[in-house]
Every structure is written in C-alpha cells, then in structure tokens.
Amino acid sequence: MKHLAMARLGFYPSGNLIKPKGKSILLIASAKSSHNLGMVNGKILNGISVGEAPYTGKKNTELMKENVPDKPGHANLVGRFVEDRHVYRQTFIIRSYEIGPDKTATMETLMNLLQETALNHVMSSGLAGNGFGATREMSLRKLMWVVTRINVQVERYSSWGDVVEIDTWVDAAGKNAMRRDWIIRDYNTREIITRATSTWVIMNHETRRLTKIPKQVRQEVIPFYLNRIAIAQDKNDIQKIGKITDENAERVRSGLEPRWSDIDANQHVNNVKYIGWILESVPMDVLQDYNLTSMTLEYRRECRQSNLLESLTSSTANVTEDSNNNSSNRRADLEYTHLLRMQDDKVEIVRARTEWQSKEKHNLSSE
C-alpha cells in the first residue's frame, strides 16, 4: 500500500515492485481512489492544468504541467464567466494543508477560497487596477474595498482531495455598499454545500476613512450586478450581534499577536485571519464534537501587526435576550457570541456569532 500511494503521488521506488503492465494513467490531483480521476482529468484546478500522463517507468516522468498561456493576465489559470458574464466560476481541490483534524476543510479554508474567487473575479473582469481587488477608477483615487459583514453557512465540509466549484456574483447593497454572494458546490455531485453573503464598502487607502462610492466606480461595476441571493431571507443571519463585556464573557483568551505573514496587500490583518483567533476561546469539547455550520462576522475596525488582541466567547443566551435570530431555521444545537478586541484599550475589532451542530447529527442529515 505504501508503494502504491507513492506511485500515485509521482514517486517510484528503485525496484520493480509496482511496475504496471502496458499503459497506465497516474494523477496527482487527489488523495482519494481512482474513482475520482475522471472527475478532474483535463480540468484546471487551483491554477494548475491537471491531465493524464502515461507511466514510463522513469523517475522524471512528467505528470503535471503548469499551464502558462500567452495572453496577459494568465486568464486560463483562473476561472471563467458564465450566465452572460454575471457569474464568475472557479474550481479548486481541497489540499492536505487546508484540512483540520477530521480531514475536512476548515472554515478558514472556505473563507480563503471565497476571497480568492472574489479577487479573481475582479482580475478576470478587466476592471482590475493596481490595488488588492480594486478597480481602475478606485486605484486612481487610492480607494479599496473593505468587508463590513459576512455570513457563511455550511451544509457539509469537503474532505481532503475533494473538488469544489465556486460561483460568485455582486449586486448593489443600498447607495454606498456592494453585496457579494457565493455558493460552493461539490463538483462531482453538483450538491450546494456552502452559501455565503457579504457586504462591502469603500475606504481611502491613505486616510483609512470610509467614503461614498464614486460615480465612476459605480459605472464600472453596475454592468456586473446580478439580482440574486445565495441565502434565502428566512435563513439569513441578519440580526445585530450582541456585545460581550468582561461581565458576561464566559471564556477569554489573551495575548493573541498578529504575525507579519497575517498582513495582506492592504496593509492590515487579512479578514480571514480573525477566524482562528475567534475560535481560540471556544470550548475544546465544542470544537471536537460539533460542526461549525454558520459564522457571521461584523468587522468594526482594522487591525495592524503591532496590535495585541484578546478573544472573548459566551453563549448567545448569556449576551442578549433577543432570541429572534432565525437560528431555529438553521437547526443549530449551540450558538455562541464572540468578540475580538484590542487587549490594551479594549477597542472592538470584530464581533461574531457562530452556530454549531452535533457532528453525529450533522453527518446523519448530510447523508
């Protein structure tokens, strides 16, 4: 079995223990059985063209070739537009370093894939300026997009080696905001396994102040607007997130320090990094025995590398008396409210709400 696994990964022992008869096909896109090979052969996944290669018995056999097109922007390395260029679609393989202890993708992995798809959407649209997801008109005015709220709802987490397909699109959210939605499908079954929605506003890169969407920027993005929602209104987490204080916090984790690698191209901590710090104060038995099925983040202030943070968690019932949060429509077994704040002056950075379902129950409902 060890040698067979090595062969599938492109390594061959010096002996002839597994030399096949005749032509053989090897693929290094998946850690699963050959049942999945036809699903990804010839597809561009994670920016790599995955195809077939005959086994020749030589160690330098070429199994995977990077596709570097002649056209600028490397358009063939990312996704494609569908539905009259209103929806951007991209495919990914869940890699070994993107899974948790149970060998499934984590919430951080999903958020990273959503962010990657959104950025590639802007790049492939022909609107990209010289900023991190900014359009040309935004770059001229030193503006950037910042997310103010995002809700991710997970029906099922993909496993190591699974292939997922992500669709994303945008629409107006009032006069001075933009809504971006996503759906994630299992590429093989076409089942929608994750839905997400978010709200974005514009910030001046130099003053770090929010600003209205300029007319020129609005004219750039309006042709891409699509009046469609990923999460049904009765299942969307739209309620305000309650405030955690020192008095009602049940668990506190202090001394959380951003690293240089946590800073993104907008010169602040990337929004995905907050998830890990928020979960630092969640009880260990919850992390082990429950699946995180919904996470809502309200971003209140940006964070820099020099800031020291602390994470607070409490059951939602202990934070607010308002039980009308539609969580019953999402079948949550547990619900927590979270706060990430500066450790020194207690300034809030992110408020969050999470919903959890027993892994045993969640697995049964997903079958």
Side-chain angles (χ1 to χ4, degrees):
M1 292 298 293
K2 178 179 179 182
H3 292 299
L4 181 58
M6 292 174 64
R8 286 176 179 167
L9 291 174
F11 299 100
Y12 309 102
S14 57
N16 297 319
L17 296 178
I18 57 169
K19 186 175 181 179
K21 297 180 179 180
K23 181 181 178 181
S24 177
I25 300 299
L26 295 178
L27 181 70
I28 63 174
S30 174
K32 290 194 168 184
S33 67
S34 58
H35 175 73
N36 288 330
L37 297 187
M39 179 176 65
V40 294
N41 280 338
K43 291 287 294 182
I44 294 178
L45 304 169
N46 298 349
I48 298 296
S49 179
V50 182
E52 298 180 349
Y55 175 81
T56 65
K58 298 180 181 180
K59 292 185 180 181
N60 62 349
T61 301
E62 185 178 24
L63 295 179
M64 188 164 63
K65 181 185 296 183
E66 186 175 2
N67 187 352
V68 183
D70 296 331
K71 64 177 66 176
H74 291 223
N76 291 336
L77 295 184
V78 287
R80 61 190 176 94
F81 282 96
V82 296
E83 300 189 44
D84 296 325
R85 292 181 62 83
H86 286 109
V87 176
Y88 183 76
R89 179 171 294 167
Q90 187 164 5
T91 309
F92 298 90
I93 296 176
I94 303 301
R95 310 189 199 196
S96 60
Y97 51 81
E98 296 173 322
I99 60 175
D102 57 358
K103 298 182 181 179
T104 60
T106 65
M107 180 62 77
E108 289 173 276
T109 293
L110 298 183
M111 291 280 277
N112 275 319
L113 294 180
L114 299 182
Q115 180 174 261
E116 179 71 9
T117 309
L119 290 171
N120 288 335
H121 182 194
V122 177
M123 181 185 72
S124 300
S125 69
L127 299 178
N130 58 10
F132 194 51
T135 68
R136 286 191 295 271
E137 292 292 341
M138 291 174 64
S139 296
L140 290 174
R141 294 163 175 79
K142 296 180 172 57
L143 303 176
M144 63 183 183
W145 291 111
V146 291
V147 60
T148 60
R149 185 180 175 104
I150 185 168
N151 174 225
V152 182
Q153 297 183 16
V154 181
E155 187 67 27
R156 175 173 64 82
Y157 285 93
S158 300
S159 299
W160 175 25
D162 283 351
V163 181
V164 296
E165 180 180 82
I166 303 179
D167 284 2
T168 187
W169 62 93
V170 294
D171 196 9
K175 293 183 178 180
N176 286 298
M178 184 177 73
R179 175 174 55 82
R180 176 177 287 279
D181 285 10
W182 299 264
I183 58 172
I184 302 180
R185 298 185 190 90
D186 181 294
Y187 182 78
N188 190 29
T189 67
R190 313 308 295 166
E191 168 195 8
I192 296 178
I193 56 178
T194 299
R195 299 174 184 269
T197 186
S198 61
T199 303
W200 298 74
V201 295
I202 285 183
M203 174 185 285
N204 186 286
H205 197 283
E206 294 183 345
T207 66
R208 317 307 281 189
R209 293 180 180 274
L210 299 183
T211 183
K212 294 181 179 180
I213 299 180
K215 178 181 178 181
Q216 295 86 346
V217 175
R218 194 184 306 277
Q219 290 175 339
E220 283 183 308
V221 297
I222 281 180
F224 293 90
Y225 281 177
L226 177 65
N227 184 19
R228 177 184 298 174
I229 57 175
I231 301 176
Q233 187 174 0
D234 63 333
K235 292 188 177 181
N236 195 3
D237 184 1
I238 59 176
Q239 298 297 321
K240 182 179 179 180
I241 299 176
K243 182 178 181 178
I244 294 185
T245 64
D246 292 324
E247 288 70 31
N248 61 20
E250 296 173 348
R251 296 175 62 89
V252 179
R253 177 67 184 274
S254 302
L256 302 173
E257 187 174 3
R259 302 167 299 177
W260 174 252
S261 59
D262 295 329
I263 308 301
D264 65 20
N266 284 328
Q267 307 306 310
H268 57 202
V269 172
N270 187 273
N271 65 84
V272 177
K273 299 296 182 180
Y274 297 128
I275 298 175
W277 293 325
I278 288 170
L279 297 181
E280 282 290 323
S281 56
V282 173
M284 182 58 66
D285 61 320
V286 174
L287 297 175
Q288 292 175 337
D289 300 332
Y290 291 80
N291 278 325
L292 177 52
T293 56
S294 177
M295 187 171 206
T296 303
L297 300 166
E298 285 184 358
Y299 298 92
R300 309 178 78 83
R301 179 189 176 100
E302 62 179 341
C303 175
R304 302 298 183 93
Q305 197 254 332
S306 58
N307 299 132
L308 197 62
L309 313 176
E310 58 184 3
S311 173
L312 293 75
T313 289
S314 184
S315 58
T316 298
N318 193 40
V319 176
T320 178
E321 296 179 358
D322 183 10
S323 60
N324 184 26
N325 187 40
N326 292 332
S327 62
S328 60
N329 294 339
R330 297 187 293 272
R331 307 186 307 278
D333 293 329
L334 299 174
E335 185 177 314
Y336 287 96
T337 298
H338 313 270
L339 174 64
L340 194 66
R341 69 185 185 186
M342 304 289 188
Q343 185 167 306
D344 294 334
D345 56 13
K346 311 303 181 186
V347 172
E348 294 187 4
I349 300 173
V350 183
R351 289 188 187 185
R353 178 165 43 238
T354 57
E355 296 173 9
W356 307 75
Q357 190 175 49
S358 165
K359 286 186 176 181
E360 182 178 358
K361 184 188 298 185
H362 192 232
N363 292 338
L364 287 174
S365 65
S366 299
E367 291 179 355

